Amino acid sequence: MSLKKYLLTGLLVWLPLAVTIWVLLWLMGLLDGVFQGLVVAMEAVTSNSMAPFWAQLKHIPGLGAALVFGGLLLTGALVSNVAGRWWLGHWEGLLARIPVFKSIYNSVKKVSDTLFSSNGNAFRTALLVQYPRAGCWTIAFQTGSPSGEVAGQLGDDFVSVYVPTTPNPTSGFFLMLPRAEVIELKMSVDEALTYVISMGSVTPSGSAPHS
């Protein structure tokens, strides 16, 4: 009995560290893949004399992740001023003229602006909703409120929510529910995500029942 207890205790110590390292390595591999794609594109448009240089860059571990990260920081810094926003506006105007591409780009941009804008409300509030049937409750996140034609059909007193799946919260379901049928939670979004990923085994600390 003690052997099983020791094994489980050791697993609980090392599992979070192992998963964290695995996620970081996966992310680094993803960024390296993006960088290697750029290197292949540069190889195609440059002379053969540059081939050894590009080949060396491909074999430096972590270089892609560092350069992509640095590029994101530099881009963010550049578009944070007036000149950068002017350049970005012209660039987006050019992309908006490309058929098919503009539809995909505009859709992704609207979603990313909604999710990551500091002024937005998406994923700022954890909720309790009844899903997949009345009497069954699960964690959801408010993503906004219905608008346009949908709001005209449903009325104003509805909220848009995202119900994540367990243990992978990156997939889930989009629902529009009456505001009266959702319960707003005091727990943070991070605590709610942890609760979902752990399948309810990790209880959020410091949260109190909503009165």
Side-chain angles (χ1 to χ4, degrees):
M1 202 66 175
S2 296
L3 181 61
K4 180 180 178 180
K5 178 182 176 181
Y6 293 153
L7 285 173
L8 289 175
T9 303
L11 180 63
L12 291 174
V13 170
W14 288 105
L15 185 59
L17 178 62
V19 172
T20 302
I21 293 174
W22 177 81
V23 170
L24 291 176
L25 289 175
W26 173 82
L27 183 60
M28 183 175 293
L30 179 65
L31 294 176
D32 276 341
V34 172
F35 175 70
Q36 295 218 6
L38 294 175
V39 170
V40 170
M42 293 301 297
E43 281 183 316
V45 298
T46 56
S47 62
N48 292 334
S49 61
M50 295 289 294
F53 171 74
W54 298 122
Q56 285 182 343
L57 287 183
K58 286 182 182 179
H59 294 91
I60 301 178
L63 178 62
L67 290 178
V68 171
F69 182 74
L72 291 176
L73 285 178
L74 180 62
T75 303
L78 289 175
V79 300
S80 294
N81 55 55
V82 176
R85 287 193 291 271
W86 177 87
W87 175 86
L88 181 62
H90 281 71
W91 172 252
E92 290 180 344
L94 175 64
L95 295 178
R97 297 188 182 95
I98 304 175
V100 181
F101 182 88
K102 67 179 181 181
S103 300
I104 301 172
Y105 178 81
N106 288 336
S107 299
V108 174
K109 179 170 174 52
K110 287 178 181 178
V111 172
S112 62
D113 287 347
T114 300
L115 293 179
F116 299 113
S117 172
S118 58
N119 298 322
N121 293 318
F123 291 91
R124 300 296 172 90
T125 305
L127 306 171
L128 269 178
V129 302
Q130 297 189 77
Y131 183 84
R133 62 173 177 83
C136 292
W137 293 86
T138 188
I139 298 289
F141 300 97
Q142 183 173 346
T143 60
S145 301
S147 59
E149 181 183 357
V150 175
Q153 295 291 336
L154 295 177
D156 296 331
D157 207 23
F158 276 74
V159 292
S160 301
V161 304
Y162 173 73
V163 179
T165 56
T166 302
N168 177 18
T170 59
S171 64
F173 304 93
F174 167 64
L175 305 173
M176 287 172 282
L177 302 173
R179 192 179 300 272
E181 294 183 9
V182 305
I183 300 175
E184 184 173 329
L185 299 172
K186 291 183 178 180
M187 71 175 71
S188 67
V189 170
D190 288 342
E191 289 176 327
L193 275 175
T194 301
Y195 198 45
V196 170
I197 294 171
S198 68
M199 296 173 282
S201 61
V202 179
T203 305
S205 58
S207 57
H210 209 59
S211 56

mmCIF file of all heavy atoms in Angstrom, residues 165-193:
data_model
loop_
_atom_site.group_PDB
_atom_site.id
_atom_site.type_symbol
_atom_site.label_atom_id
_atom_site.label_comp_id
_atom_site.label_asym_id
_atom_site.label_seq_id
_atom_site.Cartn_x
_atom_site.Cartn_y
_atom_site.Cartn_z
ATOM 1 N N THR A 165 -14.589 21.800 -23.889
ATOM 2 C CA THR A 165 -14.612 20.374 -23.595
ATOM 3 C C THR A 165 -13.487 20.038 -22.611
ATOM 4 O O THR A 165 -12.556 20.807 -22.425
ATOM 5 C CB THR A 165 -14.434 19.537 -24.872
ATOM 6 O OG1 THR A 165 -13.221 19.936 -25.533
ATOM 7 C CG2 THR A 165 -15.600 19.745 -25.819
ATOM 8 N N THR A 166 -13.594 18.872 -21.991
ATOM 9 C CA THR A 166 -12.616 18.424 -20.998
ATOM 10 C C THR A 166 -11.915 17.164 -21.506
ATOM 11 O O THR A 166 -12.587 16.265 -22.027
ATOM 12 C CB THR A 166 -13.329 18.105 -19.666
ATOM 13 O OG1 THR A 166 -14.015 19.280 -19.220
ATOM 14 C CG2 THR A 166 -12.350 17.679 -18.606
ATOM 15 N N PRO A 167 -10.581 17.043 -21.385
ATOM 16 C CA PRO A 167 -9.661 17.980 -20.735
ATOM 17 C C PRO A 167 -9.027 18.976 -21.710
ATOM 18 O O PRO A 167 -8.100 19.680 -21.344
ATOM 19 C CB PRO A 167 -8.591 17.048 -20.170
ATOM 20 C CG PRO A 167 -8.522 15.943 -21.188
ATOM 21 C CD PRO A 167 -9.932 15.763 -21.713
ATOM 22 N N ASN A 168 -9.509 19.016 -22.969
ATOM 23 C CA ASN A 168 -8.928 19.914 -23.972
ATOM 24 C C ASN A 168 -9.861 21.095 -24.190
ATOM 25 O O ASN A 168 -10.831 20.993 -24.936
ATOM 26 C CB ASN A 168 -8.712 19.154 -25.293
ATOM 27 C CG ASN A 168 -8.187 20.061 -26.385
ATOM 28 O OD1 ASN A 168 -7.673 21.141 -26.105
ATOM 29 N ND2 ASN A 168 -8.335 19.642 -27.632
ATOM 30 N N PRO A 169 -9.594 22.245 -23.564
ATOM 31 C CA PRO A 169 -10.519 23.377 -23.660
ATOM 32 C C PRO A 169 -10.446 24.139 -24.975
ATOM 33 O O PRO A 169 -11.203 25.086 -25.179
ATOM 34 C CB PRO A 169 -10.087 24.269 -22.486
ATOM 35 C CG PRO A 169 -8.633 23.985 -22.336
ATOM 36 C CD PRO A 169 -8.447 22.532 -22.688
ATOM 37 N N THR A 170 -9.520 23.745 -25.880
ATOM 38 C CA THR A 170 -9.424 24.447 -27.159
ATOM 39 C C THR A 170 -10.536 24.039 -28.120
ATOM 40 O O THR A 170 -10.737 24.678 -29.143
ATOM 41 C CB THR A 170 -8.061 24.187 -27.828
ATOM 42 O OG1 THR A 170 -7.895 22.775 -28.035
ATOM 43 C CG2 THR A 170 -6.927 24.711 -26.957
ATOM 44 N N SER A 171 -11.249 22.961 -27.802
ATOM 45 C CA SER A 171 -12.438 22.609 -28.583
ATOM 46 C C SER A 171 -13.657 22.760 -27.687
ATOM 47 O O SER A 171 -13.561 22.626 -26.467
ATOM 48 C CB SER A 171 -12.344 21.174 -29.109
ATOM 49 O OG SER A 171 -12.322 20.247 -28.040
ATOM 50 N N GLY A 172 -14.789 23.050 -28.279
ATOM 51 C CA GLY A 172 -15.972 23.251 -27.466
ATOM 52 C C GLY A 172 -17.164 23.630 -28.311
ATOM 53 O O GLY A 172 -17.194 23.371 -29.515
ATOM 54 N N PHE A 173 -18.126 24.308 -27.685
ATOM 55 C CA PHE A 173 -19.387 24.615 -28.346
ATOM 56 C C PHE A 173 -19.750 26.073 -28.104
ATOM 57 O O PHE A 173 -19.551 26.599 -27.003
ATOM 58 C CB PHE A 173 -20.501 23.706 -27.820
ATOM 59 C CG PHE A 173 -20.203 22.249 -27.959
ATOM 60 C CD1 PHE A 173 -19.599 21.552 -26.915
ATOM 61 C CD2 PHE A 173 -20.481 21.567 -29.129
ATOM 62 C CE1 PHE A 173 -19.292 20.206 -27.038
ATOM 63 C CE2 PHE A 173 -20.184 20.221 -29.258
ATOM 64 C CZ PHE A 173 -19.588 19.540 -28.215
ATOM 65 N N PHE A 174 -20.305 26.700 -29.140
ATOM 66 C CA PHE A 174 -20.764 28.076 -29.044
ATOM 67 C C PHE A 174 -22.274 28.075 -28.866
ATOM 68 O O PHE A 174 -23.004 27.483 -29.669
ATOM 69 C CB PHE A 174 -20.376 28.842 -30.312
ATOM 70 C CG PHE A 174 -21.073 30.174 -30.457
ATOM 71 C CD1 PHE A 174 -20.845 31.180 -29.537
ATOM 72 C CD2 PHE A 174 -21.955 30.398 -31.504
ATOM 73 C CE1 PHE A 174 -21.488 32.396 -29.657
ATOM 74 C CE2 PHE A 174 -22.603 31.611 -31.637
ATOM 75 C CZ PHE A 174 -22.366 32.621 -30.718
ATOM 76 N N LEU A 175 -22.741 28.736 -27.795
ATOM 77 C CA LEU A 175 -24.167 28.763 -27.492
ATOM 78 C C LEU A 175 -24.611 30.195 -27.232
ATOM 79 O O LEU A 175 -23.816 31.035 -26.792
ATOM 80 C CB LEU A 175 -24.478 27.920 -26.245
ATOM 81 C CG LEU A 175 -24.021 26.458 -26.238
ATOM 82 C CD1 LEU A 175 -24.272 25.856 -24.862
ATOM 83 C CD2 LEU A 175 -24.749 25.656 -27.308
ATOM 84 N N MET A 176 -25.893 30.468 -27.506
ATOM 85 C CA MET A 176 -26.514 31.744 -27.137
ATOM 86 C C MET A 176 -27.650 31.426 -26.178
ATOM 87 O O MET A 176 -28.606 30.730 -26.548
ATOM 88 C CB MET A 176 -27.015 32.477 -28.377
ATOM 89 C CG MET A 176 -25.880 33.058 -29.213
ATOM 90 S SD MET A 176 -26.401 33.738 -30.801
ATOM 91 C CE MET A 176 -26.594 32.214 -31.748
ATOM 92 N N LEU A 177 -27.519 31.907 -24.954
ATOM 93 C CA LEU A 177 -28.450 31.539 -23.888
ATOM 94 C C LEU A 177 -29.105 32.770 -23.285
ATOM 95 O O LEU A 177 -28.498 33.847 -23.248
ATOM 96 C CB LEU A 177 -27.695 30.781 -22.777
ATOM 97 C CG LEU A 177 -26.953 29.510 -23.191
ATOM 98 C CD1 LEU A 177 -26.136 28.997 -22.019
ATOM 99 C CD2 LEU A 177 -27.936 28.449 -23.663
ATOM 100 N N PRO A 178 -30.330 32.630 -22.774
ATOM 101 C CA PRO A 178 -30.950 33.747 -22.037
ATOM 102 C C PRO A 178 -30.093 34.118 -20.828
ATOM 103 O O PRO A 178 -29.595 33.244 -20.110
ATOM 104 C CB PRO A 178 -32.306 33.174 -21.609
ATOM 105 C CG PRO A 178 -32.577 32.060 -22.568
ATOM 106 C CD PRO A 178 -31.239 31.471 -22.900
ATOM 107 N N ARG A 179 -29.927 35.388 -20.615
ATOM 108 C CA ARG A 179 -29.095 35.851 -19.503
ATOM 109 C C ARG A 179 -29.597 35.322 -18.163
ATOM 110 O O ARG A 179 -28.806 35.059 -17.248
ATOM 111 C CB ARG A 179 -29.054 37.382 -19.492
ATOM 112 C CG ARG A 179 -28.009 37.984 -18.576
ATOM 113 C CD ARG A 179 -28.028 39.498 -18.662
ATOM 114 N NE ARG A 179 -27.749 39.955 -20.018
ATOM 115 C CZ ARG A 179 -26.518 40.175 -20.479
ATOM 116 N NH1 ARG A 179 -25.478 39.965 -19.691
ATOM 117 N NH2 ARG A 179 -26.339 40.601 -21.700
ATOM 118 N N ALA A 180 -30.900 35.139 -18.050
ATOM 119 C CA ALA A 180 -31.480 34.663 -16.792
ATOM 120 C C ALA A 180 -31.119 33.215 -16.506
ATOM 121 O O ALA A 180 -31.266 32.758 -15.363
ATOM 122 C CB ALA A 180 -33.001 34.819 -16.833
ATOM 123 N N GLU A 181 -30.647 32.477 -17.524
ATOM 124 C CA GLU A 181 -30.342 31.055 -17.340
ATOM 125 C C GLU A 181 -28.859 30.784 -17.100
ATOM 126 O O GLU A 181 -28.445 29.629 -17.052
ATOM 127 C CB GLU A 181 -30.824 30.268 -18.556
ATOM 128 C CG GLU A 181 -32.334 30.271 -18.721
ATOM 129 C CD GLU A 181 -32.800 29.427 -19.886
ATOM 130 O OE1 GLU A 181 -31.960 28.704 -20.465
ATOM 131 O OE2 GLU A 181 -34.006 29.483 -20.220
ATOM 132 N N VAL A 182 -28.043 31.828 -16.984
ATOM 133 C CA VAL A 182 -26.622 31.641 -16.695
ATOM 134 C C VAL A 182 -26.307 32.248 -15.337
ATOM 135 O O VAL A 182 -26.968 33.205 -14.900
ATOM 136 C CB VAL A 182 -25.717 32.267 -17.786
ATOM 137 C CG1 VAL A 182 -26.089 31.730 -19.152
ATOM 138 C CG2 VAL A 182 -25.801 33.781 -17.772
ATOM 139 N N ILE A 183 -25.335 31.679 -14.666
ATOM 140 C CA ILE A 183 -24.900 32.170 -13.348
ATOM 141 C C ILE A 183 -23.465 32.658 -13.468
ATOM 142 O O ILE A 183 -22.566 31.892 -13.839
ATOM 143 C CB ILE A 183 -24.995 31.058 -12.284
ATOM 144 C CG1 ILE A 183 -26.436 30.556 -12.158
ATOM 145 C CG2 ILE A 183 -24.475 31.563 -10.939
ATOM 146 C CD1 ILE A 183 -26.586 29.370 -11.221
ATOM 147 N N GLU A 184 -23.249 33.924 -13.182
ATOM 148 C CA GLU A 184 -21.904 34.489 -13.252
ATOM 149 C C GLU A 184 -21.112 34.083 -12.014
ATOM 150 O O GLU A 184 -21.601 34.171 -10.887
ATOM 151 C CB GLU A 184 -21.982 36.012 -13.352
ATOM 152 C CG GLU A 184 -20.622 36.676 -13.533
ATOM 153 C CD GLU A 184 -20.736 38.165 -13.788
ATOM 154 O OE1 GLU A 184 -21.747 38.588 -14.393
ATOM 155 O OE2 GLU A 184 -19.818 38.897 -13.374
ATOM 156 N N LEU A 185 -19.880 33.618 -12.239
ATOM 157 C CA LEU A 185 -19.023 33.156 -11.151
ATOM 158 C C LEU A 185 -18.008 34.216 -10.766
ATOM 159 O O LEU A 185 -17.587 35.026 -11.604
ATOM 160 C CB LEU A 185 -18.299 31.873 -11.572
ATOM 161 C CG LEU A 185 -19.198 30.678 -11.920
ATOM 162 C CD1 LEU A 185 -18.357 29.545 -12.498
ATOM 163 C CD2 LEU A 185 -19.959 30.202 -10.694
ATOM 164 N N LYS A 186 -17.592 34.179 -9.503
ATOM 165 C CA LYS A 186 -16.579 35.122 -9.029
ATOM 166 C C LYS A 186 -15.162 34.628 -9.314
ATOM 167 O O LYS A 186 -14.214 35.403 -9.234
ATOM 168 C CB LYS A 186 -16.755 35.366 -7.526
ATOM 169 C CG LYS A 186 -18.011 36.144 -7.175
ATOM 170 C CD LYS A 186 -18.089 36.417 -5.679
ATOM 171 C CE LYS A 186 -19.323 37.242 -5.336
ATOM 172 N NZ LYS A 186 -19.410 37.504 -3.876
ATOM 173 N N MET A 187 -15.014 33.346 -9.597
ATOM 174 C CA MET A 187 -13.674 32.810 -9.864
ATOM 175 C C MET A 187 -13.103 33.429 -11.130
ATOM 176 O O MET A 187 -13.841 33.845 -12.037
ATOM 177 C CB MET A 187 -13.722 31.285 -9.983
ATOM 178 C CG MET A 187 -14.400 30.768 -11.241
ATOM 179 S SD MET A 187 -14.291 28.963 -11.412
ATOM 180 C CE MET A 187 -15.395 28.415 -10.115
ATOM 181 N N SER A 188 -11.772 33.500 -11.209
ATOM 182 C CA SER A 188 -11.118 34.052 -12.388
ATOM 183 C C SER A 188 -11.208 33.065 -13.549
ATOM 184 O O SER A 188 -11.513 31.886 -13.363
ATOM 185 C CB SER A 188 -9.649 34.357 -12.078
ATOM 186 O OG SER A 188 -8.932 33.150 -11.859
ATOM 187 N N VAL A 189 -10.927 33.569 -14.737
ATOM 188 C CA VAL A 189 -10.936 32.711 -15.915
ATOM 189 C C VAL A 189 -9.868 31.628 -15.799
ATOM 190 O O VAL A 189 -10.090 30.472 -16.177
ATOM 191 C CB VAL A 189 -10.725 33.561 -17.190
ATOM 192 C CG1 VAL A 189 -10.496 32.672 -18.409
ATOM 193 C CG2 VAL A 189 -11.919 34.464 -17.431
ATOM 194 N N ASP A 190 -8.705 31.973 -15.249
ATOM 195 C CA ASP A 190 -7.637 30.979 -15.059
ATOM 196 C C ASP A 190 -8.084 29.860 -14.133
ATOM 197 O O ASP A 190 -7.826 28.675 -14.389
ATOM 198 C CB ASP A 190 -6.375 31.650 -14.496
ATOM 199 C CG ASP A 190 -5.671 32.506 -15.523
ATOM 200 O OD1 ASP A 190 -5.944 32.311 -16.727
ATOM 201 O OD2 ASP A 190 -4.864 33.361 -15.135
ATOM 202 N N GLU A 191 -8.746 30.225 -13.048
ATOM 203 C CA GLU A 191 -9.236 29.212 -12.116
ATOM 204 C C GLU A 191 -10.295 28.330 -12.770
ATOM 205 O O GLU A 191 -10.312 27.108 -12.577
ATOM 206 C CB GLU A 191 -9.818 29.887 -10.875
ATOM 207 C CG GLU A 191 -8.789 30.516 -9.961
ATOM 208 C CD GLU A 191 -9.405 31.253 -8.785
ATOM 209 O OE1 GLU A 191 -10.506 31.813 -8.953
ATOM 210 O OE2 GLU A 191 -8.788 31.270 -7.706
ATOM 211 N N ALA A 192 -11.161 28.949 -13.558
ATOM 212 C CA ALA A 192 -12.202 28.179 -14.235
ATOM 213 C C ALA A 192 -11.601 27.221 -15.254
ATOM 214 O O ALA A 192 -12.034 26.069 -15.380
ATOM 215 C CB ALA A 192 -13.197 29.126 -14.909
ATOM 216 N N LEU A 193 -10.585 27.684 -15.990
ATOM 217 C CA LEU A 193 -9.922 26.808 -16.961
ATOM 218 C C LEU A 193 -9.243 25.633 -16.272
ATOM 219 O O LEU A 193 -9.298 24.499 -16.747
ATOM 220 C CB LEU A 193 -8.894 27.607 -17.774
ATOM 221 C CG LEU A 193 -9.419 28.370 -18.991
ATOM 222 C CD1 LEU A 193 -8.304 29.210 -19.605
ATOM 223 C CD2 LEU A 193 -9.984 27.405 -20.033
#
